[in-house]
Amino acid sequence: MTDTRHERAPGDRPSREMDSSAPSELIVYTIGLFVAVLLTATSFWTANTTVLWPGGVFLGLAVLAIAQMGIHLVFFLHITSGPESTNNVLALAFGALIVLVVISGTMWIVADMNANMTMSSGAPMSMRMEH
């Protein structure tokens, strides 16, 4: 009843108290690389196949992209749900927030400029360019 086996996520590094039976980092990176290559090949197949319904290709690619991000976060960046990953998760969330703000702000500015720069067909003659 005093079995002290430690469980860990695939991206976790083994701590000192874990026994030597934990998989090495090379095995973890190799598994991550294999799964990432498999997801990439599946994405190329999904984009170029006629087997799937054309409307479902976008959904399939979105699911594969999210899975790819998860694989990279867990196996290569070692983002896990453990208490030692809290700072990494917060930094990742802050980076995603900054990217979201920059992209949405850029789209807002471009859309506003587009709306303000287009001239309606009923504009006065003084506003039109003369040749």
Side-chain angles (χ1 to χ4, degrees), residues 17-42:
E17 65 264 1
M18 288 187 185
D19 55 8
S20 62
S21 67
S24 69
E25 287 188 24
L26 180 64
I27 293 174
V28 171
Y29 285 126
T30 305
I31 292 170
L33 177 66
F34 176 74
V35 175
V37 167
L38 182 70
L39 286 171
T40 301
T42 306

Side-chain angles (χ1 to χ4, degrees), residues 51-115:
V51 175
L52 298 175
W53 172 59
V57 170
F58 176 75
L59 180 64
L61 289 175
V63 167
L64 289 168
I66 291 170
Q68 185 84 269
M69 287 187 285
I71 292 299
H72 284 268
L73 288 174
V74 170
F75 284 95
F76 302 122
L77 297 176
H78 305 291
I79 303 287
T80 61
S81 60
E84 65 275 353
S85 288
T86 304
N87 287 338
N88 292 339
V89 171
L90 288 174
L92 182 67
F94 182 70
L97 175 70
I98 296 299
V99 168
L100 180 71
V101 166
V102 167
I103 290 174
S104 61
T106 301
M107 290 174 63
W108 182 15
I109 289 170
V110 169
D112 188 54
M113 287 178 63
N114 186 34

